[in-house]
Structure formats: C-alpha cells, structure tokens
Amino acid sequence: MTAFSIKTFAIAAALGALAVPALAQTAATPWELKSDTGYAYDKDGKTYSYKMGTSNAGELLKGAKKVPKGTLFFIGHNGQLYMRTGPYLEGDGKFKFGPDQ
C-alpha cells in the first residue's frame, strides 16, 4: 500500500459520508472510522477504503498531519471536496450552514 496521510483518510471519510444522498436530519450523526482501515480520496474524486497492516506504519506516518479538532468537510457546488476549520455551530448548537427554513 502506498503511504497515505491521516488527513487524506479523514477527507476521504468525509467525502464518503457526504456522498450519501442527503436525508432530512435534525441532529448530526457520528462517523464510524476504524483504526485498521485507510480511507482515500483519489485524483478522480473517487473514494476507497483499504484494510491496513502495521508492518509499515512508520512509513505511513511520514509526512502525515493531524486533522485539527473542529474541522468541517463538505462538497462544494462544483463537486470539489473542501475542509474548513472554525465555528460551524450556532450558539444554540444548531448547524450554522443548515438548510434554509
């Protein structure tokens, strides 16, 4: 397996979660990421998951960066995956960028 960064895994996971058709939701749902799985978002915008081993974990972590807490991932109107750090919840805990009511 080629080395993927943890950030790439998180982005790929976000894409996978956002690629599911949007359903009316009133609350956020947690992701279920597995520690022995790698998640990839390739150059063509496709997502993949890979079963990972530990024999080359050192190589995997070279150049990897932690994703900051408070990071939001989303797909723009152009189909591009984006990430944003900073507030995404209102003072009352509602999602700041939710559907117009």
Side-chain angles (χ1 to χ4, degrees):
M1 177 176 142
T2 59
F4 291 100
S5 72
I6 293 170
K7 184 175 179 181
T8 302
F9 297 152
I11 290 171
L15 176 65
L18 295 173
V20 174
L23 301 174
Q25 293 185 14
T26 58
T29 55
W31 291 355
E32 294 187 31
L33 301 177
K34 298 178 183 178
S35 61
D36 61 346
T37 305
Y39 303 92
Y41 176 58
D42 77 5
K43 64 180 179 163
D44 298 319
K46 295 179 185 174
T47 58
Y48 297 93
S49 62
Y50 298 95
K51 176 73 175 163
M52 294 175 49
T54 57
S55 63
N56 58 354
E59 183 179 343
L60 175 68
L61 291 171
K62 286 182 185 174
K65 298 177 183 172
K66 292 181 182 180
V67 174
K69 292 180 181 179
T71 301
L72 174 69
F73 300 94
F74 60 96
I75 303 292
H77 287 194
N78 59 0
Q80 177 65 46
L81 179 65
Y82 292 92
M83 63 181 274
R84 167 197 163 113
T85 55
Y88 54 86
L89 297 177
E90 298 286 356
D92 60 3
K94 291 183 182 176
F95 185 57
K96 192 175 193 175
F97 307 103
D100 296 331
Q101 302 281 337

